[in-house]
Amino acid sequence: MRHLTILILSILSIHFSYSQINEIGVFMGGSNFIGDVGATDYISPNQLAFGGIYKWNRSKRHSYRASVIFSELKGVDTKSDDPRRIQRGYEFSSSIMEISLGLEFTFLDFDLHSGQKIATPYLYTGISTTKHDNHYFLNGVQTPENMSSWAYGIPMVLGFKASFLDNIILGIEVGARYTFSDRLDGSLPKAQNRQQYRFGNINNNDWYMFSGLTLTYTFGENPCYCPGN
């Protein structure tokens, strides 16, 4: 985590004398949770996810990116393939707000001012933090702790985007979020006096997925991708 932070800050420290182009738009799709409660399928959206996204295109091959996404994480043991979870029968739901900052890298040059239809696969990674309410299970029932936490993590996103209409970019992406927390599903209560209610694999942290579409509008000055600049 420390090395990733240093890498991102080093890149951000490059001077900003270039012209720039901006993208702003929306993300719409679904989410699913992977942890100690519910199914463990990696791409199986079961709840709505939506939010806003902004990109500052630094070159034809990379962009700085920020997003805020809202969703509800849900886990249902009876939908798992694990007989022990099915027998246990736990179920939880938790509203989240994720804030993410990082870098998007394209596999091909993505010059929005080439005058041609363009498309490319891309990768995105950086740092994320997710606000969620804390809860635990009392006699098998989700019970609120009446407090909230921030779960820090690393987004790992694979996508494909293309110029759609004038100044409009359409993308499709699937992204895993590895968090440094084991509290999103209630398997690890936050309050010290409730640690007897912890369960599951305490050595594995929680994951969640976002799968969906991005639609962004481009504006700003034409970038100068000139050699030597």
Side-chain angles (χ1 to χ4, degrees), residues 134-138 145 147 149 182-183 186-200 202:
N134 296 104
H135 62 273
Y136 67 105
F137 285 89
L138 180 62
E145 290 196 88
M147 62 182 77
S149 294
D182 196 25
R183 291 198 169 102
S187 63
L188 180 61
K190 186 174 184 179
Q192 290 301 314
N193 62 345
R194 299 191 181 105
Q195 295 307 300
Q196 69 270 26
Y197 298 112
R198 66 193 300 176
F199 64 91
I202 61 174

Side-chain angles (χ1 to χ4, degrees), residues 101-163:
L101 298 170
L103 292 172
E104 182 178 293
F105 303 90
T106 63
F107 286 77
L108 304 172
D109 285 352
F110 198 73
D111 185 355
L112 297 175
H113 298 276
S114 64
Q116 301 176 346
K117 295 293 184 182
I118 51 176
T120 180
Y122 63 87
L123 295 172
Y124 167 71
T125 189
I127 300 173
S128 65
T129 182
T130 302
K131 185 177 182 181
H132 64 95
D133 292 331
N134 296 104
H135 62 273
Y136 67 105
F137 285 89
L138 180 62
N139 299 322
V141 177
Q142 180 182 358
T143 304
E145 290 196 88
N146 299 317
M147 62 182 77
S148 60
S149 294
W150 289 89
Y152 293 91
I154 300 176
M156 294 168 279
V157 178
L158 175 64
F160 182 87
K161 62 182 179 180
S163 54

Side-chain angles (χ1 to χ4, degrees), residues 4-227:
L4 178 64
T5 303
I6 293 173
L7 173 63
I8 293 174
L9 292 177
S10 298
I11 296 174
L12 288 172
S13 67
I14 300 173
H15 67 86
F16 293 99
S17 60
Y18 293 78
S19 299
Q20 67 190 56
I21 189 168
N22 306 278
E23 292 182 48
I24 190 167
V26 296
F27 171 89
M28 183 68 69
S31 68
N32 63 282
F33 175 79
I34 305 126
D36 292 307
V37 178
T40 55
D41 302 320
Y42 275 89
I43 304 177
S44 182
N46 54 34
Q47 297 294 304
L48 176 67
F50 64 93
I53 187 169
Y54 169 78
K55 300 180 186 180
W56 188 74
N57 295 311
R58 189 67 176 83
S59 77
K60 293 180 287 187
R61 298 299 293 271
H62 79 282
S63 305
Y64 304 130
R65 168 171 161 170
S67 64
V68 179
I69 298 177
F70 301 88
S71 187
E72 183 174 350
L73 299 181
K74 187 172 185 178
V76 182
D77 275 349
T78 55
K79 295 184 177 181
S80 171
D81 294 329
D82 187 339
R84 293 169 298 180
R85 295 194 181 191
I86 295 173
Q87 183 178 14
R88 183 180 62 188
Y90 281 7
E91 179 176 341
F92 86 97
S93 62
S94 179
S95 297
I96 63 167
M97 177 186 70
E98 181 200 80
I99 301 172
S100 179
L101 298 170
L103 292 172
E104 182 178 293
F105 303 90
T106 63
F107 286 77
L108 304 172
D109 285 352
F110 198 73
D111 185 355
L112 297 175
H113 298 276
S114 64
Q116 301 176 346
K117 295 293 184 182
I118 51 176
T120 180
Y122 63 87
L123 295 172
Y124 167 71
T125 189
I127 300 173
S128 65
T129 182
T130 302
K131 185 177 182 181
H132 64 95
D133 292 331
N134 296 104
H135 62 273
Y136 67 105
F137 285 89
L138 180 62
N139 299 322
V141 177
Q142 180 182 358
T143 304
E145 290 196 88
N146 299 317
M147 62 182 77
S148 60
S149 294
W150 289 89
Y152 293 91
I154 300 176
M156 294 168 279
V157 178
L158 175 64
F160 182 87
K161 62 182 179 180
S163 54
F164 180 55
L165 296 172
D166 290 343
N167 291 12
I168 301 296
I169 306 298
L170 178 65
I172 181 171
E173 64 181 40
V174 176
R177 270 66 171 179
Y178 170 76
T179 74
F180 298 96
S181 172
D182 196 25
R183 291 198 169 102
L184 275 74
D185 56 8
S187 63
L188 180 61
K190 186 174 184 179
Q192 290 301 314
N193 62 345
R194 299 191 181 105
Q195 295 307 300
Q196 69 270 26
Y197 298 112
R198 66 193 300 176
F199 64 91
N201 189 341
I202 61 174
N203 296 315
N204 287 343
N205 291 331
D206 296 328
W207 294 69
Y208 61 91
M209 304 284 295
F210 286 145
S211 308
L213 300 175
T214 62
L215 191 67
T216 57
Y217 172 78
T218 65
F219 64 97
E221 301 177 13
N222 290 9
C224 177
Y225 303 135
C226 307

